[in-house]
Amino acid sequence: MTAALVAAGLGIIPGTAQAADPVPVAAGVAEAIAKASTSEGFHSPADRTIRTTLPGAATANGKANAKTAAPQTAQTAQTAQAAVEAADAGANPALAVDVSGTSYTAHGIELTALITSADFALGVVIDWGDGKTDTVTAQGNAELHHSHTYDKSGEYQVKVTVTDTANAVQAANGGAFLTPGSDFTPHTPTRLLDTRNGTGAPAVKVAGLGSARVKVAGNAAVPAGVTAVALNVTVTETVESGYVTAWPGAGYERPGTSNLNYTAGRSVPNLVIVPVGEDGYVELYNGGPEPVDLIADVTGYFTRASAGGYTSMTPARFVDTREGLGASRGRLPARTAFATRIGGLQGVPQGITAVALNVTVTEPGGPGHLTAYSGEGPVPTASNLNFVPGQTVANAVIVPVAADGTIKVFNGSWMPAHVVVDVVGYYSKDSKAAFLPFTPFRTLDTREEAYGWPGGRFRAREYITQGFTPGDATGVEAYVLNTTVTETGGTGYLSVAPSPYALPAEGGPAAPAGPRPGSSTLNWTAGTTVPNLVQASDGDHGVITFWNQGYQDADLVLDVFGVYQSK
């Protein structure tokens, strides 16, 4: 097999499932979602209540209210008389409300209102801050619980107003609620770090087992308050094997996962979606023993301001220059770009702001790089993937989309190359799914008998299914994963797609394979270690399938970094 194996449409050959126990994955995801989504909230105690005297109701009405309420609540005559006296003395002087709001999903709030009141009938209005309200009633002291889902990310002023009409008094309290989920804003690819020339850091290689800090917030027009960033990270000038891990840096423990792996003499890129530290920085750790150069290009960022939500797709091929799909047939000439339309085709709507792609170069005639960018504007100086002659390499890319729905791909090499573009999702103002980052964790490593894996290699032409979404999670649109294939025995490629079938019952037969995907996530040759980011939908059943499309065994490592959630 040759490098042209990249998703070349090899036919539907039945595969055999290699099943991992889904319980550890789903349990880990459930814990991660719960931890990430309950990190924000507010509490405004009762002593912050604002009381307002209302015009209209007479004291006599208050007496009638108290007298009427007594038999409904089985009050004694003595208690009823006390309520009447309270009404005469101060029109429910203890009326107050304690309000707290906690998050439970990317866009959801769980509100608790603790009302302190004499035993009078009360009207309660909950203003969620997005133009929507809930109206309920209460009687005297009460504890109310209500939930609400916001359509978009942002900060909302929540207010609870309690009205005792009969005593002409009102009490209000509330606070600012910040959704845990963040929306995406595309950014023209811009270089934030290049240790080769001193961009963003001293012009010196990153030491083995050392790290480089990347300023994100306040840099290249990225705003303060950014919660996460999409970076294309490239390692180059390597003399030994190693890996790179991205994390928020100061105040956060470095995770035991990797974002990209490299070998000696190779330049390796990978898209990274990583939370930004409170100081506005991201840290890149060189897990190899020898110094390397690191490059980081920003392609977008996430904030809690209403912007673009995410919609996932089953991967769909939009461009293949080998066949003339989406672009002219034949290798893309040197130092040349093609434009292709994304918006309005194959289920992608018009008006999208950015698109999530998997871009593959194959059969290049010489070394070089590809840059994907908006269909309008000049070619950015940043790159999305690097290649050497004859190499097939893929990389995840998030690209701004022009108003006419187009993007461009530029061949930065001095020799022609074939280009393949698969669309995996898109961002738009009409898409509701917000990004909720996790502390990264590993869900599978076929080199180890762990993570529910019984052991053994990822066999050729077979597939692995994993259940991701736990039963109590709602609104999951897609997961942000890092896939790494290593210890490869030959040439091949990996496909990732949602499963059309639910996981079988424990001890039952494996679920059918479903159709073999025609798209590729990453490509490899013998003896290589290749990473790539995947924004993968888990379909209607919470299950993702990973296909070894090669004819030799390999090993597969999966790390999960976050989730897009619409609730």
Side-chain angles (χ1 to χ4, degrees), residues 48-85:
R48 297 181 183 175
T49 300
I50 298 175
R51 288 172 54 90
T52 304
T53 301
L54 302 176
T59 303
N61 290 337
K63 295 179 182 179
N65 183 297
K67 292 176 180 178
T68 302
Q72 294 174 347
T73 57
Q75 285 184 316
T76 64
Q78 182 179 2
T79 303
Q81 181 60 36
V84 173
E85 292 173 357

Side-chain angles (χ1 to χ4, degrees), residues 251-280:
Y252 294 84
E253 183 178 353
R254 176 167 51 84
T257 52
S258 62
N259 292 97
L260 63 88
N261 298 71
Y262 59 85
T263 54
R266 285 292 179 92
S267 295
V268 181
N270 199 18
L271 183 65
V272 172
I273 297 179
V274 57
V276 176
E278 294 179 3
D279 60 358

